[in-house]
Every structure is written in C-alpha cells, then in structure tokens.
Amino acid sequence: HLELRPIHVRTEKSTRGHVFVVMLAYLLRRELESAWKGLNTTVQEGLNCLSTISSIEVIKGNGISINKIPNPKGLSAKLLSKLNYNLPEKIIHKKINVSARKRTRKPT
C-alpha cells in the first residue's frame, strides 16, 4: 500500500526526490507481484522469506574475510528463480578505512 502522502519538504528538489523514491518503490512492488504471481505469496511474505538468507564469515590472514552464501532452499530459491537472480557464492571484504572529505551532517 504505497501512497504519496502529504509531505513536509521545503524545496522543489526535495519534493521531486520524494516523489521519485515513492514511484520507484511502486514499480519495484509491481515487478515483484508480477514475477511471483503463481507462487501463492504476497510481496511482503516474499521479502520476509528472502530476509532470512544469511552468510557465513570465513576469516583469512591479512585482514581479509570472505562471506560465503549458502544456496537458498525452498521458497527462497523459488522466489529468486522467478526473478532470474542468482546469489553470488562469496563476498570478499577488505578492512579499509574510508573517510569522507566533506561533512554530510551538521554537528549537533
């Protein structure tokens, strides 16, 4: 139930951004409903099911860790299959510090 409710924004740019995000969410919801039509599940139930997919962290030397993603089973596998989406087998992380050169928020 996506709605474009009255919003309290002060600039035209913020209003356009809000409308863009709401419309993008609406399009994503329609695509998911269309893809999952024959599975007898709602979009919310499908997203809840997919949120249970997890990874296993394997730590190697030199500050590198690998998150292995097990193959989904059951409904999760069907949901991803209907979307023609394959999860990656692993995600490699390197511990790197990233700092912004510009402050994104004003100090309080």
Side-chain angles (χ1 to χ4, degrees):
H1 300 243
L2 299 173
E3 298 177 4
L4 184 62
R5 299 178 217 183
I7 52 174
H8 304 287
V9 292
R10 297 190 175 148
T11 65
E12 180 182 349
K13 187 176 179 180
S14 295
T15 303
R16 287 180 182 275
H18 176 74
V19 171
F20 174 76
V21 168
V22 170
M23 293 308 295
L24 182 60
Y26 175 70
L27 289 172
L28 287 170
R29 182 176 187 88
R30 280 184 47 192
E31 287 296 317
L32 293 175
E33 283 175 348
S34 174
W36 296 342
K37 193 174 188 176
L39 293 179
N40 193 27
T41 186
T42 66
V43 171
Q44 189 61 50
E45 290 169 343
L47 292 175
N48 289 343
C49 181
L50 291 176
S51 73
T52 64
I53 296 174
S54 60
S55 64
I56 302 167
E57 183 177 22
V58 178
I59 299 174
K60 300 226 175 193
N62 300 333
I64 296 175
S65 66
I66 298 173
N67 286 351
K68 297 193 68 94
I69 303 172
N71 290 330
K73 301 201 186 290
L75 182 58
S76 294
K78 290 178 185 176
L79 294 170
L80 292 172
S81 173
K82 290 286 188 177
L83 295 171
N84 295 321
Y85 185 79
N86 296 318
L87 291 174
E89 291 179 17
K90 60 186 173 186
I91 301 171
I92 298 174
H93 294 276
K94 293 183 180 179
K95 300 204 187 246
I96 300 173
N97 291 329
V98 178
S99 64
R101 294 177 187 229
K102 185 176 179 182
R103 286 186 180 230
T104 55
R105 295 185 182 189
K106 293 180 182 179
T108 56

XYZ file of all heavy atoms in Angstrom:
858
model
N 0.838 -1.168 0.000
C 0.000 0.000 0.000
C 0.883 1.231 0.000
O 1.134 1.833 1.036
C -0.912 -0.006 1.205
C -1.807 -1.209 1.233
N -3.157 -1.108 1.155
C -1.552 -2.521 1.282
C -3.694 -2.295 1.186
N -2.731 -3.200 1.264
N 1.373 1.565 -1.154
C 2.222 2.741 -1.275
C 1.359 3.951 -1.579
O 0.481 3.904 -2.427
C 3.247 2.545 -2.389
C 4.198 1.379 -2.197
C 5.043 1.177 -3.439
C 5.091 1.616 -1.011
N 1.613 5.018 -0.888
C 0.870 6.240 -1.101
C 1.830 7.402 -1.176
O 2.873 7.412 -0.537
C -0.102 6.481 0.047
C -1.161 5.412 0.200
C -2.057 5.671 1.406
O -1.890 6.703 2.064
O -2.909 4.821 1.666
N 1.436 8.390 -1.944
C 2.189 9.642 -1.986
C 1.457 10.591 -1.056
O 0.567 11.310 -1.458
C 2.250 10.176 -3.418
C 3.083 11.412 -3.629
C 4.532 11.127 -3.268
C 3.010 11.856 -5.060
N 1.788 10.524 0.201
C 1.089 11.296 1.222
C 1.577 12.732 1.241
O 2.664 13.022 0.745
C 1.345 10.677 2.585
C 0.865 9.282 2.677
C 1.204 8.733 4.011
N 1.564 7.339 3.802
C 1.861 6.511 4.747
N 1.903 6.915 5.971
N 2.166 5.277 4.477
N 0.821 13.595 1.865
C 1.332 14.968 2.036
C 2.644 14.919 2.806
O 2.754 14.236 3.824
C 0.256 15.658 2.854
C -0.966 14.827 2.681
C -0.498 13.420 2.421
N 3.606 15.575 2.282
C 4.924 15.553 2.901
C 5.335 16.971 3.252
O 4.852 17.930 2.669
C 5.973 14.907 1.968
C 5.937 15.574 0.605
C 5.737 13.416 1.842
C 6.999 15.131 -0.331
N 6.189 17.080 4.196
C 6.639 18.389 4.651
C 8.074 18.597 4.189
O 9.017 18.343 4.924
C 6.528 18.483 6.168
C 5.140 18.196 6.658
N 4.106 19.078 6.502
C 4.610 17.101 7.263
C 2.998 18.560 7.007
N 3.280 17.354 7.472
N 8.199 19.006 2.956
C 9.506 19.345 2.421
C 9.482 20.822 2.057
O 8.438 21.399 1.795
C 9.881 18.487 1.187
C 10.100 17.054 1.583
C 8.828 18.579 0.121
N 10.637 21.400 2.019
C 10.688 22.848 1.835
C 11.128 23.277 0.451
O 10.927 24.419 0.079
C 11.621 23.441 2.877
C 11.103 23.210 4.264
C 11.879 23.978 5.273
N 11.224 23.788 6.563
C 11.838 23.759 7.696
N 13.133 23.921 7.749
N 11.181 23.583 8.810
N 11.736 22.364 -0.294
C 12.237 22.774 -1.607
C 11.646 21.894 -2.695
O 11.200 20.776 -2.447
C 13.774 22.661 -1.666
O 14.138 21.297 -1.543
C 14.445 23.494 -0.578
N 11.660 22.430 -3.893
C 11.170 21.660 -5.043
C 12.023 20.411 -5.254
O 11.513 19.335 -5.568
C 11.191 22.530 -6.296
C 10.713 21.814 -7.527
C 10.781 22.652 -8.793
O 11.000 23.866 -8.692
O 10.635 22.063 -9.878
N 13.327 20.542 -5.045
C 14.244 19.416 -5.221
C 13.901 18.280 -4.255
O 13.884 17.109 -4.638
C 15.674 19.893 -5.003
C 16.726 18.878 -5.315
C 18.111 19.500 -5.153
C 19.180 18.485 -5.435
N 20.524 19.049 -5.282
N 13.595 18.622 -3.009
C 13.227 17.591 -2.024
C 11.906 16.928 -2.389
O 11.746 15.713 -2.235
C 13.118 18.213 -0.635
O 14.362 18.673 -0.205
N 10.955 17.714 -2.879
C 9.665 17.160 -3.290
C 9.847 16.199 -4.449
O 9.287 15.105 -4.467
C 8.690 18.282 -3.686
O 8.555 19.175 -2.585
C 7.333 17.733 -4.070
N 10.638 16.592 -5.439
C 10.898 15.721 -6.585
C 11.598 14.436 -6.146
O 11.278 13.350 -6.632
C 11.744 16.439 -7.627
C 10.990 17.493 -8.383
C 11.914 18.169 -9.412
N 11.228 19.202 -10.113
C 10.475 19.008 -11.191
N 10.330 17.796 -11.672
N 9.870 20.011 -11.775
N 12.532 14.543 -5.225
C 13.227 13.361 -4.714
C 12.281 12.410 -4.012
O 12.347 11.193 -4.197
N 11.369 12.958 -3.219
C 10.393 12.131 -2.503
C 9.477 11.406 -3.492
O 9.244 10.208 -3.365
C 9.569 12.992 -1.552
C 8.490 12.231 -0.854
N 8.747 11.351 0.168
C 7.158 12.202 -1.051
C 7.616 10.815 0.573
N 6.625 11.317 -0.153
N 8.981 12.126 -4.473
C 8.095 11.526 -5.473
C 8.839 10.438 -6.250
O 8.295 9.363 -6.519
C 7.522 12.596 -6.420
C 6.780 11.967 -7.577
C 6.606 13.536 -5.655
N 10.097 10.678 -6.592
C 10.903 9.681 -7.312
C 11.031 8.390 -6.501
O 10.834 7.291 -7.028
C 12.279 10.255 -7.643
C 13.209 9.253 -8.257
C 13.059 8.890 -9.588
C 14.212 8.670 -7.517
C 13.901 7.955 -10.175
C 15.059 7.732 -8.082
C 14.902 7.379 -9.415
N 11.344 8.507 -5.226
C 11.526 7.328 -4.382
C 10.214 6.553 -4.238
O 10.198 5.317 -4.319
C 12.095 7.729 -3.001
C 12.032 6.584 -2.010
C 13.522 8.226 -3.145
N 9.106 7.259 -4.058
C 7.815 6.587 -3.923
C 7.454 5.859 -5.212
O 6.995 4.715 -5.193
C 6.714 7.596 -3.519
C 5.329 6.974 -3.616
C 6.964 8.107 -2.113
N 7.671 6.495 -6.357
C 7.340 5.859 -7.631
C 8.258 4.672 -7.918
O 7.825 3.662 -8.461
C 7.400 6.880 -8.774
C 6.328 7.941 -8.678
S 4.651 7.297 -8.478
C 4.413 6.446 -10.005
N 9.524 4.778 -7.555
C 10.451 3.661 -7.723
C 10.009 2.466 -6.870
O 10.008 1.322 -7.331
C 11.872 4.083 -7.358
C 12.956 3.040 -7.517
C 13.060 2.570 -8.966
C 14.291 3.607 -7.059
N 9.604 2.731 -5.638
C 9.111 1.658 -4.767
C 7.862 1.018 -5.367
O 7.695 -0.205 -5.326
C 8.817 2.206 -3.368
N 6.989 1.836 -5.952
C 5.777 1.313 -6.575
C 6.122 0.401 -7.754
O 5.558 -0.684 -7.897
C 4.901 2.475 -7.029
C 3.674 2.050 -7.796
C 2.627 1.395 -7.162
C 3.564 2.296 -9.152
C 1.510 0.984 -7.865
C 2.451 1.890 -9.869
C 1.428 1.239 -9.217
O 0.328 0.828 -9.915
N 7.072 0.819 -8.585
C 7.479 -0.002 -9.732
C 8.112 -1.315 -9.285
O 7.857 -2.376 -9.867
C 8.441 0.777 -10.628
C 7.825 1.920 -11.422
C 8.906 2.740 -12.115
C 6.834 1.397 -12.442
N 8.950 -1.259 -8.264
C 9.561 -2.485 -7.740
C 8.496 -3.441 -7.213
O 8.551 -4.650 -7.454
C 10.558 -2.157 -6.633
C 11.869 -1.535 -7.091
C 12.661 -1.034 -5.891
C 12.675 -2.521 -7.899
N 7.528 -2.905 -6.511
C 6.455 -3.748 -5.978
C 5.675 -4.420 -7.101
O 5.361 -5.613 -7.028
C 5.527 -2.906 -5.104
C 4.426 -3.714 -4.485
C 3.573 -2.872 -3.559
N 2.647 -3.712 -2.866
C 2.888 -4.330 -1.720
N 4.056 -4.191 -1.137
N 1.985 -5.093 -1.164
N 5.373 -3.671 -8.158
C 4.652 -4.243 -9.299
C 5.448 -5.349 -9.970
O 4.902 -6.382 -10.353
C 4.321 -3.146 -10.318
C 3.122 -2.342 -9.923
C 2.729 -1.328 -10.950
N 2.694 -1.883 -12.294
C 2.611 -1.162 -13.397
N 2.566 0.138 -13.331
N 2.580 -1.732 -14.574
N 6.756 -5.150 -10.121
C 7.613 -6.172 -10.730
C 7.638 -7.447 -9.883
O 7.570 -8.552 -10.412
C 9.036 -5.645 -10.930
C 9.168 -4.637 -12.044
C 8.854 -5.232 -13.406
O 9.288 -6.360 -13.693
O 8.154 -4.558 -14.181
N 7.736 -7.282 -8.566
C 7.751 -8.447 -7.679
C 6.411 -9.175 -7.723
O 6.368 -10.407 -7.777
C 8.098 -8.035 -6.251
C 9.519 -7.525 -6.027
C 9.686 -7.035 -4.596
C 10.546 -8.574 -6.370
N 5.308 -8.434 -7.695
C 3.985 -9.062 -7.784
C 3.843 -9.844 -9.082
O 3.326 -10.960 -9.090
C 2.886 -7.996 -7.716
C 2.632 -7.470 -6.333
C 1.623 -6.330 -6.323
O 1.283 -5.777 -7.394
O 1.176 -5.982 -5.216
N 4.322 -9.272 -10.169
C 4.227 -9.929 -11.472
C 5.079 -11.200 -11.515
O 4.634 -12.242 -11.988
C 4.660 -8.961 -12.569
O 4.704 -9.587 -13.810
N 6.309 -11.121 -11.009
C 7.219 -12.271 -11.048
C 6.745 -13.397 -10.137
O 6.904 -14.575 -10.464
C 8.629 -11.826 -10.654
N 6.166 -13.055 -8.999
C 5.783 -14.051 -8.009
C 4.306 -14.421 -8.089
O 3.759 -15.025 -7.165
C 6.103 -13.542 -6.608
C 7.562 -13.342 -6.355
C 8.598 -13.860 -7.064
C 8.151 -12.562 -5.317
N 9.793 -13.454 -6.534
C 9.549 -12.651 -5.457
C 7.643 -11.796 -4.288
C 10.434 -12.008 -4.600
C 8.516 -11.148 -3.433
C 9.894 -11.262 -3.586
N 3.656 -14.110 -9.180
C 2.212 -14.304 -9.334
C 1.752 -15.731 -9.035
O 0.787 -15.937 -8.320
C 1.808 -13.912 -10.757
C 0.350 -13.777 -10.957
C 0.089 -13.247 -12.354
C -1.375 -12.916 -12.534
N -1.627 -12.331 -13.837
N 2.425 -16.746 -9.537
C 1.980 -18.126 -9.378
C 2.453 -18.812 -8.110
O 2.224 -20.006 -7.935
N 3.111 -18.113 -7.209
C 3.688 -18.748 -6.019
C 2.791 -18.690 -4.788
O 3.178 -19.156 -3.720
C 5.034 -18.114 -5.683
C 6.151 -18.361 -6.680
C 7.420 -17.651 -6.244
C 6.415 -19.842 -6.833
N 1.616 -18.093 -4.894
C 0.686 -18.008 -3.771
C 1.338 -17.360 -2.546
O 1.266 -17.871 -1.431
C 0.136 -19.394 -3.416
C -1.046 -19.314 -2.479
O -1.762 -18.311 -2.464
N -1.258 -20.353 -1.691
N 2.019 -16.233 -2.785
C 2.648 -15.478 -1.702
C 2.519 -13.995 -1.999
O 2.495 -13.592 -3.163
C 4.126 -15.882 -1.523
O 4.652 -15.221 -0.386
C 4.968 -15.530 -2.712
N 2.420 -13.199 -0.965
C 2.365 -11.755 -1.157
C 3.783 -11.216 -1.272
O 4.762 -11.909 -0.943
C 1.661 -11.065 0.028
O 2.465 -11.233 1.202
C 0.266 -11.628 0.248
N 3.899 -9.978 -1.706
C 5.223 -9.356 -1.803
C 5.863 -9.277 -0.425
O 7.046 -9.586 -0.263
C 5.124 -7.956 -2.462
C 6.440 -7.215 -2.364
C 4.696 -8.076 -3.911
N 5.088 -8.890 0.576
C 5.635 -8.781 1.925
C 6.119 -10.128 2.447
O 7.183 -10.235 3.037
C 4.600 -8.185 2.883
C 5.169 -7.853 4.244
C 6.281 -6.828 4.182
O 6.132 -5.791 3.561
N 7.409 -7.130 4.800
N 5.344 -11.191 2.207
C 5.762 -12.530 2.638
C 7.025 -12.967 1.904
O 7.924 -13.573 2.500
C 4.642 -13.538 2.377
C 3.435 -13.368 3.265
C 2.242 -14.193 2.813
O 2.210 -14.654 1.655
O 1.328 -14.366 3.629
N 7.110 -12.650 0.614
C 8.299 -12.993 -0.159
C 9.528 -12.267 0.344
O 10.601 -12.860 0.488
N 9.390 -10.977 0.630
C 10.520 -10.205 1.148
C 10.935 -10.697 2.529
O 12.126 -10.767 2.839
C 10.170 -8.716 1.185
C 10.002 -8.050 -0.178
C 9.533 -6.610 -0.015
C 11.282 -8.118 -0.988
N 9.956 -11.065 3.354
C 10.279 -11.625 4.676
C 11.049 -12.931 4.536
O 11.999 -13.190 5.276
C 9.012 -11.852 5.495
C 8.379 -10.558 5.961
O 9.001 -9.506 5.953
N 7.119 -10.633 6.335
N 10.653 -13.752 3.578
C 11.341 -15.020 3.340
C 12.777 -14.766 2.868
O 13.716 -15.398 3.347
C 10.578 -15.840 2.315
S 11.335 -17.433 1.973
N 12.944 -13.838 1.937
C 14.289 -13.544 1.425
C 15.181 -12.906 2.486
O 16.404 -13.026 2.416
C 14.197 -12.632 0.204
C 13.603 -13.269 -1.050
C 13.486 -12.231 -2.154
C 14.424 -14.450 -1.515
N 14.579 -12.248 3.466
C 15.386 -11.614 4.512
C 16.050 -12.644 5.426
O 16.938 -12.293 6.200
C 14.539 -10.643 5.336
O 13.657 -11.347 6.187
N 15.643 -13.904 5.330
C 16.257 -14.940 6.157
C 17.550 -15.489 5.547
O 18.253 -16.257 6.195
C 15.284 -16.111 6.386
O 15.001 -16.729 5.134
C 13.994 -15.647 7.044
N 17.853 -15.114 4.314
C 19.105 -15.569 3.686
C 20.269 -14.921 4.424
O 20.268 -13.720 4.681
C 19.134 -15.213 2.193
C 18.022 -15.953 1.456
C 20.495 -15.525 1.578
C 17.867 -15.552 0.006
N 21.241 -15.720 4.783
C 22.379 -15.211 5.550
C 23.680 -15.669 4.928
O 23.693 -16.351 3.906
C 22.278 -15.685 7.002
O 22.294 -17.090 7.037
N 24.770 -15.283 5.551
C 26.087 -15.684 5.054
C 26.921 -16.220 6.209
O 26.610 -16.004 7.374
C 26.791 -14.496 4.398
O 27.036 -13.480 5.348
N 27.988 -16.919 5.856
C 28.918 -17.471 6.832
C 30.253 -16.768 6.622
O 30.795 -16.767 5.506
C 29.083 -18.990 6.643
C 27.726 -19.677 6.774
C 30.101 -19.552 7.620
C 27.732 -21.109 6.297
N 30.794 -16.158 7.667
C 32.050 -15.422 7.544
C 33.244 -16.352 7.758
O 33.333 -17.072 8.744
C 32.115 -14.278 8.552
C 33.369 -13.438 8.401
C 33.399 -12.262 9.352
O 32.710 -12.296 10.389
O 34.119 -11.304 9.053
N 34.163 -16.339 6.788
C 35.410 -17.094 6.872
C 36.528 -16.061 6.898
O 36.670 -15.254 5.979
C 35.579 -18.034 5.654
C 36.899 -18.769 5.742
C 34.411 -18.998 5.561
N 37.331 -16.056 7.974
C 38.383 -15.053 8.136
C 39.709 -15.639 7.686
O 40.119 -16.704 8.133
C 38.463 -14.573 9.593
C 37.138 -13.940 9.993
C 39.614 -13.596 9.770
C 37.048 -13.561 11.446
N 40.355 -14.926 6.779
C 41.680 -15.319 6.301
C 42.701 -14.343 6.863
O 42.352 -13.359 7.491
C 41.693 -15.280 4.776
C 40.674 -16.213 4.162
C 41.274 -16.980 3.073
C 40.251 -17.984 2.561
N 40.811 -18.951 1.727
N 43.970 -14.565 6.593
C 45.017 -13.668 7.055
C 44.970 -12.322 6.338
O 44.213 -12.110 5.402
N 45.785 -11.395 6.777
C 45.917 -10.065 6.177
C 44.630 -9.241 6.231
O 44.378 -8.401 5.384
C 46.389 -10.151 4.724
C 47.729 -10.829 4.604
O 48.536 -10.794 5.535
N 47.980 -11.455 3.481
N 43.789 -9.479 7.213
C 42.581 -8.680 7.384
C 41.510 -8.904 6.330
O 40.662 -8.066 6.126
N 41.571 -10.024 5.645
C 40.580 -10.316 4.610
C 39.596 -11.344 5.153
O 39.982 -12.362 5.712
C 41.241 -10.854 3.325
C 42.147 -9.792 2.722
C 40.194 -11.295 2.327
C 42.930 -10.269 1.521
N 38.322 -11.055 4.991
C 37.300 -12.028 5.364
C 36.409 -12.275 4.148
O 36.200 -11.396 3.322
C 36.468 -11.533 6.550
O 35.710 -10.409 6.187
N 35.925 -13.483 4.059
C 35.062 -13.869 2.947
C 33.731 -14.312 3.532
O 33.695 -15.133 4.443
C 35.680 -15.015 2.124
C 37.000 -14.571 1.514
C 34.721 -15.505 1.061
C 37.771 -15.680 0.833
N 32.664 -13.760 3.031
C 31.334 -14.197 3.421
C 30.826 -15.169 2.372
O 30.601 -14.790 1.227
C 30.375 -13.014 3.553
C 30.632 -12.208 4.795
O 31.405 -12.613 5.642
N 29.994 -11.077 4.916
N 30.670 -16.411 2.764
C 30.131 -17.427 1.862
C 28.618 -17.451 2.020
O 28.103 -17.394 3.126
C 30.739 -18.780 2.161
C 32.262 -18.786 1.922
C 32.840 -20.148 1.895
C 32.431 -20.941 0.743
N 33.161 -21.028 -0.448
N 27.935 -17.521 0.907
C 26.476 -17.508 0.906
C 25.977 -18.899 0.512
O 26.189 -19.334 -0.614
C 25.947 -16.440 -0.063
C 26.508 -15.076 0.321
C 24.428 -16.426 -0.084
C 26.226 -13.977 -0.661
N 25.330 -19.596 1.448
C 24.813 -20.932 1.115
C 23.703 -20.838 0.061
O 23.023 -19.821 -0.048
C 24.247 -21.445 2.434
C 24.720 -20.522 3.488
C 25.083 -19.246 2.828
N 23.526 -21.906 -0.711
C 22.454 -21.927 -1.700
C 21.110 -21.888 -0.989
O 20.868 -22.689 -0.090
C 22.541 -23.181 -2.575
C 23.728 -23.146 -3.500
O 24.158 -22.083 -3.913
N 24.261 -24.304 -3.806
N 20.224 -20.963 -1.386
C 18.908 -20.926 -0.752
C 18.090 -22.163 -1.108
O 18.283 -22.776 -2.158
C 18.273 -19.657 -1.318
C 19.051 -19.303 -2.522
C 20.393 -19.943 -2.395
N 17.182 -22.515 -0.230
C 16.343 -23.699 -0.439
C 14.877 -23.312 -0.276
O 14.553 -22.253 0.245
C 16.711 -24.777 0.566
C 18.165 -25.202 0.479
C 18.361 -26.556 1.092
C 19.805 -26.952 1.149
N 20.461 -27.240 -0.054
N 14.008 -24.154 -0.728
C 12.579 -23.956 -0.540
C 12.042 -22.727 -1.245
O 12.375 -22.438 -2.398
N 11.217 -21.981 -0.515
C 10.557 -20.820 -1.093
C 11.551 -19.748 -1.519
O 11.372 -19.109 -2.557
C 9.540 -20.242 -0.104
C 8.736 -19.042 -0.589
C 7.966 -19.366 -1.862
C 7.801 -18.543 0.506
N 12.619 -19.552 -0.757
C 13.629 -18.551 -1.129
C 14.211 -18.850 -2.508
O 14.379 -17.941 -3.323
C 14.758 -18.508 -0.098
O 14.288 -18.049 1.138
N 14.508 -20.102 -2.769
C 15.056 -20.490 -4.076
C 14.039 -20.229 -5.180
O 14.396 -19.735 -6.257
C 15.459 -21.964 -4.061
N 12.760 -20.524 -4.925
C 11.726 -20.279 -5.930
C 11.561 -18.790 -6.211
O 11.407 -18.384 -7.365
C 10.392 -20.868 -5.468
C 10.354 -22.368 -5.465
C 9.020 -22.863 -4.942
C 9.009 -24.369 -4.807
N 7.756 -24.862 -4.225
N 11.582 -17.971 -5.156
C 11.431 -16.527 -5.321
C 12.560 -15.953 -6.170
O 12.328 -15.160 -7.087
C 11.399 -15.839 -3.955
C 10.194 -16.144 -3.069
C 10.418 -15.607 -1.663
C 8.929 -15.557 -3.668
N 13.792 -16.344 -5.872
C 14.942 -15.854 -6.637
C 14.915 -16.371 -8.067
O 15.270 -15.655 -9.002
C 16.246 -16.254 -5.941
C 16.506 -15.562 -4.600
C 17.716 -16.184 -3.920
C 16.682 -14.072 -4.772
N 14.475 -17.608 -8.249
C 14.387 -18.194 -9.585
C 13.389 -17.425 -10.453
O 13.660 -17.152 -11.617
C 13.982 -19.659 -9.480
O 13.740 -20.190 -10.758
N 12.245 -17.068 -9.875
C 11.236 -16.316 -10.623
C 11.745 -14.938 -11.032
O 11.291 -14.362 -12.011
C 9.959 -16.162 -9.796
C 9.198 -17.442 -9.600
C 8.503 -17.839 -10.881
C 7.586 -19.014 -10.633
N 6.838 -19.376 -11.821
N 12.697 -14.411 -10.276
C 13.293 -13.112 -10.606
C 14.506 -13.254 -11.526
O 15.128 -12.262 -11.886
C 13.716 -12.390 -9.323
C 12.592 -11.985 -8.376
C 13.164 -11.484 -7.066
C 11.705 -10.934 -9.022
N 14.849 -14.507 -11.875
C 16.058 -14.784 -12.671
C 17.291 -14.179 -12.010
O 18.108 -13.530 -12.651
C 15.908 -14.263 -14.103
C 14.832 -14.997 -14.853
O 14.688 -16.209 -14.712
N 14.068 -14.269 -15.630
N 17.406 -14.390 -10.708
C 18.512 -13.819 -9.951
C 19.295 -14.931 -9.265
O 18.720 -15.795 -8.602
C 18.000 -12.837 -8.890
C 19.100 -12.129 -8.163
C 19.764 -11.059 -8.742
C 19.509 -12.551 -6.911
C 20.796 -10.417 -8.089
C 20.545 -11.922 -6.240
C 21.176 -10.854 -6.836
O 22.204 -10.237 -6.192
N 20.602 -14.904 -9.432
C 21.491 -15.856 -8.767
C 22.332 -15.115 -7.739
O 22.953 -14.093 -8.057
C 22.425 -16.538 -9.779
C 21.654 -17.383 -10.767
O 20.729 -18.093 -10.402
N 22.023 -17.291 -12.028
N 22.354 -15.620 -6.516
C 23.180 -15.020 -5.482
C 24.652 -15.306 -5.769
O 24.982 -16.368 -6.300
C 22.815 -15.596 -4.115
C 21.449 -15.227 -3.565
C 21.189 -15.998 -2.272
C 21.355 -13.743 -3.301
N 25.539 -14.385 -5.405
C 26.963 -14.687 -5.550
C 27.366 -15.778 -4.564
O 26.730 -15.953 -3.520
C 27.648 -13.356 -5.214
C 26.665 -12.624 -4.375
C 25.307 -13.062 -4.836
N 28.415 -16.511 -4.889
C 28.882 -17.572 -3.984
C 29.591 -16.996 -2.770
O 29.543 -17.556 -1.687
C 29.826 -18.513 -4.721
C 29.141 -19.350 -5.766
C 30.122 -20.263 -6.485
O 31.241 -20.477 -5.974
O 29.757 -20.754 -7.556
N 30.280 -15.877 -2.975
C 31.033 -15.279 -1.872
C 31.157 -13.780 -2.077
O 31.032 -13.271 -3.187
C 32.428 -15.906 -1.760
C 33.260 -15.736 -3.007
C 34.560 -16.493 -2.896
C 35.299 -16.438 -4.221
N 36.484 -17.251 -4.231
N 31.397 -13.095 -0.963
C 31.647 -11.659 -0.974
C 32.941 -11.449 -0.213
O 33.062 -11.840 0.956
C 30.502 -10.889 -0.299
C 29.184 -11.178 -1.010
C 30.787 -9.390 -0.288
C 27.966 -10.639 -0.292
N 33.909 -10.840 -0.856
C 35.218 -10.629 -0.231
C 35.254 -9.228 0.368
O 34.898 -8.252 -0.280
C 36.348 -10.799 -1.259
C 36.325 -12.226 -1.812
C 37.700 -10.488 -0.636
C 37.288 -12.471 -2.940
N 35.682 -9.153 1.639
C 35.793 -7.882 2.336
C 37.246 -7.624 2.685
O 37.953 -8.519 3.129
C 34.994 -7.898 3.647
C 33.531 -8.008 3.441
N 32.738 -6.924 3.188
C 32.706 -9.076 3.456
C 31.487 -7.323 3.055
N 31.445 -8.629 3.204
N 37.673 -6.390 2.474
C 38.981 -5.969 2.958
C 38.740 -4.864 3.965
O 37.904 -3.994 3.748
C 39.841 -5.449 1.809
C 40.213 -6.521 0.813
C 41.119 -5.962 -0.246
C 41.485 -7.041 -1.241
N 42.349 -6.550 -2.304
N 39.434 -4.921 5.061
C 39.246 -3.908 6.102
C 39.978 -2.646 5.686
O 41.182 -2.520 5.860
C 39.741 -4.428 7.433
C 38.997 -5.675 7.855
C 39.023 -5.871 9.317
C 38.407 -7.214 9.598
N 37.230 -7.216 10.285
N 39.221 -1.718 5.119
C 39.772 -0.450 4.656
C 38.994 0.665 5.336
O 37.767 0.660 5.356
C 39.642 -0.322 3.121
C 40.387 -1.458 2.441
C 40.133 1.030 2.649
C 40.171 -1.522 0.945
N 39.699 1.628 5.888
C 39.048 2.781 6.483
C 38.726 3.789 5.388
O 39.585 4.166 4.598
C 39.940 3.430 7.536
C 40.111 2.552 8.753
O 39.201 1.799 9.096
N 41.251 2.635 9.397
N 37.495 4.219 5.364
C 37.054 5.199 4.382
C 36.582 6.422 5.137
O 35.802 6.327 6.076
C 35.890 4.641 3.515
C 35.407 5.678 2.542
C 36.335 3.376 2.813
N 37.077 7.570 4.739
C 36.632 8.798 5.390
C 36.128 9.768 4.327
O 36.642 9.819 3.216
C 37.773 9.435 6.187
O 38.811 9.820 5.318
N 35.109 10.502 4.696
C 34.542 11.495 3.783
C 35.329 12.793 3.913
O 35.690 13.208 5.006
C 33.075 11.727 4.109
N 35.563 13.441 2.808
C 36.259 14.719 2.846
C 35.301 15.854 3.165
O 35.695 16.916 3.555
C 36.921 14.995 1.503
C 38.022 14.021 1.205
C 38.596 14.296 -0.153
N 39.536 13.253 -0.478
C 40.747 13.472 -0.921
N 41.160 14.694 -1.119
N 41.541 12.478 -1.182
N 34.039 15.570 2.980
C 33.036 16.589 3.194
C 32.045 16.076 4.234
O 31.608 14.935 4.180
C 32.307 16.863 1.879
C 31.327 17.960 1.918
C 30.760 18.174 0.528
C 29.725 19.267 0.526
N 29.138 19.453 -0.784
N 31.705 16.922 5.191
C 30.731 16.519 6.191
C 29.362 16.410 5.565
O 28.947 17.268 4.799
C 30.663 17.538 7.330
C 31.840 17.466 8.224
C 31.624 18.402 9.388
N 32.778 18.311 10.250
C 32.708 18.119 11.532
N 31.534 18.040 12.123
N 33.787 18.028 12.252
N 28.684 15.324 5.896
C 27.342 15.136 5.339
C 26.269 15.644 6.295
O 25.162 15.895 5.883
C 27.091 13.652 5.036
O 27.313 12.899 6.230
C 28.025 13.172 3.946
N 26.621 15.795 7.546
C 25.670 16.308 8.535
C 26.322 17.405 9.355
O 27.532 17.395 9.588
C 25.223 15.202 9.482
C 24.442 14.129 8.799
C 23.956 13.163 9.819
N 23.230 12.090 9.142
C 22.551 11.181 9.759
N 22.492 11.189 11.074
N 21.918 10.254 9.099
N 25.488 18.292 9.809
C 25.993 19.359 10.675
C 26.134 18.802 12.082
O 25.289 18.029 12.545
C 25.015 20.529 10.684
C 24.930 21.226 9.349
C 23.949 22.369 9.430
C 23.844 23.033 8.067
N 22.877 24.137 8.068
N 27.213 19.186 12.787
C 27.365 18.711 14.172
C 26.236 19.258 15.047
O 25.780 20.368 14.848
C 28.716 19.247 14.611
C 29.223 20.118 13.533
C 28.301 20.018 12.361
N 25.808 18.435 15.999
C 24.704 18.883 16.880
C 25.205 19.471 18.160
O 26.287 19.295 18.588
C 23.764 17.702 17.199
O 24.533 16.656 17.766
C 23.049 17.262 15.964
